Amino acid sequence: MMDKETILQNWNFMRLLRLGLGIYIAIQAFETMSIFSGVVAAFFIFQAVTNTACCGSNGCAVPTKKSNSGKTEEIEFEEIK
């Protein structure tokens, strides 16, 4: 269940853009009586209200690089004639 803080805080540009697109598409869906446009509008509005994206929240983040703890491995070379 969504809490009040998730809905009311952290409004950034992309979240506002999704809300604006959702409202615009919803108005167009009512004018054209298009069910598909209504579903797309509901999807965008849902994403804006719940602060999720297609991959979920923070789904497109780049993973952090793991460090080797300063260990270096000895590489052995074999000479081929």
Side-chain angles (χ1 to χ4, degrees), residues 8-27:
L8 297 177
Q9 293 180 353
N10 298 327
W11 282 88
N12 54 19
F13 174 73
M14 287 305 296
R15 196 170 176 187
L16 290 171
L17 182 66
R18 280 189 226 110
L19 181 64
L21 278 172
I23 291 171
Y24 177 75
I25 295 171
I27 292 170

Side-chain angles (χ1 to χ4, degrees), residues 4-77:
K4 186 178 176 182
E5 290 180 14
T6 303
I7 296 172
L8 297 177
Q9 293 180 353
N10 298 327
W11 282 88
N12 54 19
F13 174 73
M14 287 305 296
R15 196 170 176 187
L16 290 171
L17 182 66
R18 280 189 226 110
L19 181 64
L21 278 172
I23 291 171
Y24 177 75
I25 295 171
I27 292 170
Q28 293 299 315
F30 281 119
E31 288 179 356
T32 61
M33 300 301 241
S34 172
I35 294 173
F36 179 73
S37 296
V39 171
V40 172
F43 178 69
F44 276 113
I45 292 171
F46 174 78
Q47 283 185 333
V49 170
T50 60
N51 196 19
T52 56
C54 294
C55 301
S57 62
N58 204 17
C60 298
V62 177
T64 56
K65 185 176 180 180
K66 295 180 182 179
S67 64
N68 291 342
S69 305
K71 295 181 181 179
T72 58
E73 294 182 23
E74 186 66 34
I75 300 174
E76 294 182 25
F77 294 99

